[in-house]
Amino acid sequence: MSNLSIVYYTASKEVCEDKIIKQIMKVKGDIPVISVSQKPLNFGTNICVGEMEHCYENAFKQALIGLKRVSTPFVMMCESDCMYPEGYFDFKPTDLNTIYTYDNVWLMWNREQRTRYYKHGTTCGSIVLGTELYKEMLKDGPPDFFDPNIKWEYFTGEPLINIKTRNGVSFGTTIEKGVRPAKSFLQWGTPEELRKRLCLKY
């Protein structure tokens, strides 16, 4: 029996969401899923909150709704714009007061001229932490991830791809300086090949 649950939260706007869910199902093993969506969704135990304004504040509200249904001590947060690689869900957290963040996240923009993957930093869709810890962080609104009292640790594996479409809250984001863009990854292929796999159009 896993000591982990997955909370998957979504604004139900990404056209490739069915492919994202299919990939999670393929690689998650027996970890239970609680999905919190703005439209009904056949994925784990679903909580449909109805349509809301598409913003970060509501995304965190949805995350908190899911956390309140979690019965395991740890939770893995998943989003509808991330392709999770094989091995990602094998990670075993041990400290309930630590945020574990994946350090091999790459960005893929859904743009014709973007033919490379770009190294990204921490994203809310690639953290693992104690359920009660995250509930406490979210109880008064969006969390303060820059709180110096928070303990962080990294875990790693094959590249996790954060997909940037115009259906997300923001099309822009930061990339890690000094890291060369990647042409292709073994599990995902080139950005163009992955876009075709996800049935994305510019």
Side-chain angles (χ1 to χ4, degrees):
M1 185 72 177
S2 176
N3 68 346
L4 281 164
S5 295
I6 292 169
V7 168
Y8 173 89
Y9 56 105
T10 173
S12 305
K13 295 184 182 297
E14 294 291 353
V15 297
C16 61
E17 184 162 21
D18 60 330
K19 306 292 191 305
I20 298 291
I21 290 172
K22 184 177 181 181
Q23 176 65 18
I24 294 173
M25 291 294 293
K26 176 183 175 183
V27 299
K28 76 175 185 64
D30 62 355
I31 302 175
V33 175
I34 296 170
S35 61
V36 186
S37 57
Q38 295 190 19
K39 295 180 181 178
L41 186 64
N42 182 22
F43 186 35
T45 299
N46 181 237
I47 305 167
C48 180
V49 298
E51 293 193 36
M52 307 162 68
E53 181 184 353
H54 195 25
C55 63
Y56 288 116
E57 183 175 359
N58 283 337
F60 287 119
K61 285 181 180 178
Q62 287 184 231
L64 181 57
I65 288 169
L67 288 166
K68 290 178 178 178
R69 294 285 294 273
V70 170
S71 59
T72 55
F74 290 98
V75 64
M76 307 185 91
M77 306 304 295
C78 289
E79 297 182 344
S80 59
D81 60 358
C82 291
M83 284 290 275
Y84 297 90
E86 293 182 11
Y88 178 83
F89 295 101
D90 295 338
F91 176 68
K92 306 298 183 187
T94 56
D95 187 348
L96 290 167
N97 296 307
T98 294
I99 299 178
Y100 300 91
T101 183
Y102 204 63
D103 71 352
N104 198 16
V105 180
W106 293 76
L107 293 161
M108 184 195 80
W109 272 275
N110 188 33
R111 277 179 157 179
E112 186 175 10
Q113 65 269 38
R114 294 279 191 167
T115 60
R116 300 287 189 274
Y117 297 103
Y118 297 83
K119 188 70 170 61
H120 195 19
T122 295
T123 176
C124 292
S126 64
I127 58 174
V128 183
L129 69 169
T131 304
E132 294 302 319
L133 172 63
Y134 206 23
K135 283 165 66 175
E136 181 66 21
M137 291 175 65
L138 293 176
K139 70 177 184 179
D140 296 320
D144 179 10
F145 288 118
F146 297 100
D147 184 338
N149 296 314
I150 293 177
K151 181 182 176 183
W152 291 83
E153 288 188 15
Y154 292 102
F155 69 109
T156 194
E158 296 299 315
L160 184 159
I161 308 300
N162 185 195
I163 303 150
K164 285 294 177 180
T165 72
R166 296 195 182 277
N167 294 317
V169 176
S170 173
F171 195 54
T173 190
T174 58
I175 61 175
E176 287 193 9
K177 295 180 180 180
V179 180
R180 295 182 64 180
K183 295 180 180 179
S184 178
F185 293 120
L186 181 62
Q187 192 167 152
W188 309 119
T190 65
E192 183 60 26
E193 288 168 340
L194 183 53
R195 283 192 287 262
K196 287 181 179 179
R197 175 176 170 181
L198 295 171
C199 299
L200 289 173
K201 298 180 180 180
Y202 304 121

